[in-house]
Amino acid sequence: MTAAVFYKLLAIFLTVGVGWVAGRLRWLDSGADARDPARVLGNAAFTIFVPALLFRTTARLDFAALPWRIIAAFFVPAVLYALAVYVWQRRRAQPDTTPAAPAARMVTASFGNSVQLGIPMATALFGEPGLAIHITLVSLHALILLTLPTVLVEMDLARAQPGPRDIAATLRSTVRNTLVHPVVLPVVAGIAWNLAGLPLPAVLDETLAALGSAVVPVCLVLIGLSLAYYGVQGQWRGALQLSALKLVVLPAVVVAIAHWGFGLADLPLAVVVLMAALPTGSNALIFAQRYDTGATEATAAIVVSTLLFVLSASAWLGVLTLLG
């Protein structure tokens, strides 16, 4: 663990701590009738800041220059793993489990902290060549690993509607709710803008960049607020289970398929494996809040996986050393 990565971890926990203090001291409360500040902040992140970041990222992507073999070596196993987690969670769901719970746990077990921790880690360990590969994966990270669970959760919610099921109506509802969504809509709009060959006007680009830059601090403060308002009592077992999936199982699947399936080695293999080994990202919490399920479990998993990452990252660096 390099000093740069350690300081970044410390900065993350300090920022979360600011949110926790604000929640404990009720700095954001404005009276007995005030709405839940943590939920308000989560809604702001999900409907304003994250969409701005996603649209700007996809609108500016140079698809022709992307290293598709490396991208496939990460996202093929990551998607297969995420789908397996989703199927497992659906099969073990209790009758009183909310329809959105399997997809929410899928996000918690698969979506990594690729920006605020991943970028400094890639820079410290792999330098500019490794950072370039990492940034490429980051540019598609939310596009793929948030869009997929969004489609699945909207299908589950449509199926759970009471009354006789009209397959055509269910399909229309799923498509509409999936497309008109704070994650999917900006991605689709950004890709359309990109394919049309339109440059982003300077003022629009600056506005989107300013909004997108707020995602990291807002989400970290949101984690602290959630810890203060909701606590994590009774969530440790689920948090440890999801953390184990994220820190151990996902990178194991990625290293196996990327190395022996796609033939990756050396720097590209190291970058994709460490990308998979990152702890759960804060988008898991805002996804859970969006669908009103498992917010406390997601919060606990973010904290636990980030703490355990100090040990798991060292172990995966050792595995990569054995692989040459």
Side-chain angles (χ1 to χ4, degrees):
M1 184 65 63
T2 67
V5 174
F6 173 78
Y7 288 135
K8 180 56 67 172
L9 280 169
L10 183 60
I12 288 173
F13 283 115
L14 287 175
T15 308
V16 170
V18 170
W20 182 82
V21 170
R24 293 292 293 180
L25 298 181
R26 297 299 190 260
W27 286 348
L28 301 183
D29 290 10
S30 58
D33 296 330
R35 295 184 63 190
D36 180 353
R39 187 166 298 279
V40 172
L41 189 61
N43 288 337
F46 205 73
T47 58
I48 299 174
F49 303 120
V50 170
L53 177 64
L54 292 175
F55 176 81
R56 184 173 185 265
T57 300
T58 50
R60 290 159 53 95
L61 268 180
D62 183 0
F63 288 101
L66 294 178
W68 290 108
R69 177 164 161 265
I70 297 175
I71 290 170
F74 174 77
F75 284 108
V76 167
V79 167
L80 291 174
Y81 156 86
L83 289 172
V85 171
Y86 168 76
V87 171
W88 174 51
Q89 290 296 325
R90 282 203 66 189
R91 288 184 175 177
R92 68 189 292 267
Q94 300 298 318
D96 59 344
T97 302
T98 62
R105 291 196 177 104
M106 168 188 175
V107 175
T108 303
S110 61
F111 195 92
N113 187 341
S114 61
V115 176
Q116 59 261 47
L117 183 56
I119 289 177
M121 183 168 183
T123 304
L125 295 177
F126 310 125
E128 289 297 324
L131 178 62
I133 297 173
H134 180 82
I135 291 295
T136 300
L137 298 176
V138 169
S139 67
L140 298 169
H141 190 221
L143 166 63
I144 295 172
L145 294 182
L146 283 183
T147 302
L148 176 61
T150 297
V151 174
L152 294 173
V153 74
E154 292 296 342
M155 290 174 59
D156 287 340
L157 291 173
R159 282 195 295 263
Q161 292 298 318
R165 184 181 302 172
D166 184 333
I167 296 179
T170 300
L171 181 61
R172 286 195 301 269
S173 174
T174 301
V175 172
R176 181 179 64 253
N177 292 337
T178 300
L179 290 176
V180 186
H181 189 278
V183 168
V184 179
L185 185 59
V187 167
V188 173
I191 292 175
W193 190 288
N194 192 316
L195 295 178
L198 299 173
L200 282 175
V203 174
L204 177 60
D205 188 51
E206 286 294 327
T207 302
L208 293 172
L211 292 171
S213 66
V215 169
V216 171
V218 166
C219 289
L220 291 177
V221 170
L222 174 62
I223 294 169
L225 282 175
S226 299
L227 284 171
Y229 279 89
Y230 310 141
V232 292
Q233 293 82 2
Q235 303 299 325
W236 294 113
R237 181 178 179 181
L240 285 169
Q241 185 180 75
L242 292 171
S243 296
L245 287 171
K246 182 67 189 72
L247 298 175
V248 180
V249 179
L250 174 56
V253 173
V254 169
V255 73
I257 295 180
H259 184 56
W260 287 285
F262 286 88
L264 286 197
D266 303 323
L267 181 65
L269 178 65
V271 175
V272 300
V273 171
L274 265 294
M275 175 78 168
L278 290 168
T280 301
S282 52
N283 274 311
L285 172 57
I286 60 176
F287 189 93
Q289 284 190 333
R290 165 76 178 183
Y291 292 103
D292 196 24
T293 179
T296 53
E297 182 181 64
T299 301
I302 292 168
V303 173
V304 170
S305 63
T306 304
L307 287 170
L308 294 178
F309 175 70
V310 177
L311 300 175
S312 64
S314 301
W316 283 114
L317 287 172
V319 171
L320 290 170
T321 300
L322 293 176
L323 292 174

